[in-house]
């Protein structure tokens, strides 16, 4: 009830009160007044009740408005939830990603990665027996050349690792075992562990990616291999050049404690994009200080470039299916050697060309030199010594062409051959990749200073010349003419077939091969045929 209604009711009541004396008698005044007082009390109570009801009505209205506001808010929230629920659900990002690179590679966002790796090289072939030479290591043979298992990956902060074990030939040997560090703000690469001693492009390239079944014979002859050490490389802008220096122990990763030899090495490569293709030019150098003698004993080090202070350079006929060496200097006393190498290669679409050469110079002992006590040589403390420091040379040149249009793989920044990507693998109904190879190799282990060298007694300092034919048989030269075909069924499976004609002059086998010849041993010539194949799988 509003205020106007209240005033009207009071006015009616007052009027009735004033009019009552005129309408009733004196007897009725008291009763009327009592009745009017009661009515006024009732009206006052009614007015109070009306005020109370108005307050309750206002409160109820306020509560209704609040409830309506809450309902509107709840409805808006429900609509928002409904709209959010209607959006497509984005799947939660996994903690790691898995890629396929011949094997699963697991990688996390923070820089961890892990990838198993391995290879199987199964070789079969035959090497002919020249002239009157007979040897059970010649003829047909089958060999597991490599059977490796390992892993590689990265760690946060620019760190990396690689580790491989080789189980071929019934024994376990260490292959690459190293960790690396490449800071994100500098073009540097640090490696520590067991790896190649900065040799030429073919030697430091994975055997999965070389073009012939075996590397050039000078790598075999000069004992280029993996050793335990550390290297620091600087990679140029756009990976177009690389400079690297390293220091190695004169042995691989092993348990030897009696090898104090060491190797200093360096390699510089330039890898420009030019002439419509990829070029590669490089130079490499090794200074090798041989391990000391150990009182006539022999060090147990693995992959040593010498047997303590005895050097020996020799090579197989381009095949590991035989242990026969047709060229061999024999052992002679030396304190160390140095190797200088040059590299050149080019890739032009399906065509590639490559060539390398290395010169080795040994630092030999001389007639009259003494070595006693812990410096004594094995084998009675006597050994051949050269007249002056002898030198040896090896080289190869090759050309390859993909009949199916592929381009030979190459890794810029490292200066090595890399995996070839097959355009039409057999898994897609294609013929795979087919590559033909032609190659020439030459190895010269002859040196007049070694041929004329006497045998020195390091206890007394006296020396004497061996028989002429024995001295003329030291060394020899070997030239190989190789043709081959490689069939890449996919990026990870390859079949290889090589035929080589090896022409030998001189060497330790010449007198046996042609005993009736009247020519000096170092002028006798003969040839050997080498046919070999390989099934290669890697991941």
């Amino acid at each position: 009830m509003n205020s106007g209604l209240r005033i009207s009711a009071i006015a009616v009541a007052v009027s009735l009160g004033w009019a009552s004396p005129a309408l009733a008698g004196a007897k009725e005044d008291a009763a009327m007044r009592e009745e009017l007082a009661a009515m006024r009390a009732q009206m006052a109570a009614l007015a109070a009740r009306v005020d109370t009801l108005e307050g309750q009505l206002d409160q109820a209205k306020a509560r209704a408005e609040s409830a309506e506001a809450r309902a509107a808010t709840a409805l808006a929230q429900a609509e928002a939830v409904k709209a959010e629920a209607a959006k497509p659900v984005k799947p939660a990002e996994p903690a790691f990603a898995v890629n396929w690179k011949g094997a699963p590679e697991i990688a996390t966002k923070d820089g961890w990665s892990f990838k198993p790796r391995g290879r199987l090289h199964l070789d079969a072939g035959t090497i002919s027996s020249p002239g009157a030479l007979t040897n059970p290591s010649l003829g047909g043979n089958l060999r597991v050349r490599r059977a490796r298992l390992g892993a590689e990956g990265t760690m946060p902060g620019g760190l990396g690792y690689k580790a491989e074990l080789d189980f071929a030939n019934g024994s376990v040997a260490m292959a690459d075992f190293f960790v690396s560090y490449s800071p994100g703000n500098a073009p540097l690469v640090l490696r520590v562990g067991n790896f190649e001693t900065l040799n030429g492009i073919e030697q430091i390239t994975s055997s999965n990616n070389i073009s012939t079944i075996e590397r050039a014979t000078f790598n075999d002859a000069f004992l280029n291999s993996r050793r335990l050490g550390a290297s620091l490389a600087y990679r140029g802008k756009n990976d177009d050049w690389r400079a690297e220096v390293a220091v190695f122990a004169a042995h691989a990763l092993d348990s030897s404690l009696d090898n104090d030899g060491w190797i200093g090495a360096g390699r510089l490569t330039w890898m420009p994009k030019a002439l419509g293709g990829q070029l590669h030019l490089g130079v490499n150098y090794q200074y090798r200080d041989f391990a000391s003698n150990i009182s006539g004993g022999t060090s147990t080090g693995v992959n040593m470039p010498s047997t303590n202070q005895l050097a020996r350079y020799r090579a197989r006929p381009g095949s590991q299916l035989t242990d026969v060496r047709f060229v061999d200097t024999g052992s002679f006393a030396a304190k160390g050697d140095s190797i200088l190498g040059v590299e050149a290669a080019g890739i032009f679409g399906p065509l590639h060309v490559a060539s390398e050469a290395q010169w080795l110079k040994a630092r030999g002992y001389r007639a009259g030199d003494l070595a006693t006590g812990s410096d004594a040589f094995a084998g009675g403390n006597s050994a051949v010594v050269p007249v002056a420091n002898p030198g040896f040379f090896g080289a190869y040149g090759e050309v390859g062409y993909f009949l199916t249009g592929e381009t030979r793989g190459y890794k810029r920044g490292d200066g090595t051959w890399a995996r070839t990507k097959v355009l039409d693998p057999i898994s897609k109904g294609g013929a795979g990749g087919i590559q033909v190879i032609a190659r020439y190799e030459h190895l010269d282990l002859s040196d007049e200073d070694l041929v004329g060298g006497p045998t020195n007694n390091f206890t007394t300092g006296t020396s004497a010349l061996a028989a002429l034919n024995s001295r003329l048989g030291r060394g020899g030269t070997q030239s190989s003419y190789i043709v081959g075909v490689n069939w890449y069924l996919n990026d990870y499976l390859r079949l290889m077939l090589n035929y080589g004609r090896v022409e030998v002059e001189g060497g330790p086998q010449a007198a046996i091969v042609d005993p009736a010849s009247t020519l000096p041993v170092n002028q006798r010539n003969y040839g050997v045929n080498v046919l070999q194949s390989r099934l290669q799988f890697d991941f």
Side-chain angles (χ1 to χ4, degrees), residues 120-121 142-148 165-174:
L120 173 66
H121 294 177
L142 178 69
R143 181 186 185 191
V144 177
R145 180 72 169 86
R146 298 177 182 90
R148 294 183 186 173
L165 292 173
D166 197 334
F167 300 90
N169 306 315
S171 61
V172 180
M174 301 290 185

Side-chain angles (χ1 to χ4, degrees), residues 452-539:
T455 299
N456 187 66
N457 186 314
F458 285 91
T459 301
T460 64
T462 59
S463 60
L465 288 172
L468 179 60
N469 273 353
S470 175
R471 289 187 286 115
L472 292 177
R474 297 171 185 168
T477 62
Q478 178 174 291
S479 296
S480 302
Y481 304 85
I482 302 169
V483 292
V485 58
N486 299 322
W487 181 22
Y488 297 75
L489 285 75
N490 54 45
D491 293 352
Y492 303 93
L493 180 61
R494 179 170 68 163
L495 300 177
M496 308 176 72
L497 180 66
N498 287 178
Y499 167 75
R501 175 65 180 179
V502 182
E503 299 290 342
V504 182
E505 182 178 64
Q509 308 292 342
I512 303 172
V513 171
D514 192 2
S517 175
T518 59
L519 291 173
V521 169
N522 61 344
Q523 296 179 21
R524 300 182 191 182
N525 298 283
Y526 60 93
V528 177
N529 296 310
V530 179
L531 179 66
Q532 56 185 343
S533 61
R534 170 172 291 172
L535 169 63
Q536 172 185 309
F537 167 68
D538 75 284
F539 59 87

Side-chain angles (χ1 to χ4, degrees), residues 7 15 54 62 82 91 97 104 123 171 173 179 190 225 250 268 285 289 317 352 413 438 460 462 491 496:
I7 294 172
S15 298
E54 282 185 346
K82 181 178 179 181
D123 293 357
S171 61
V179 294
L190 173 68
S225 184
L268 176 65
Y285 177 76
D289 195 66
H352 88 269
T460 64
T462 59
D491 293 352
M496 308 176 72

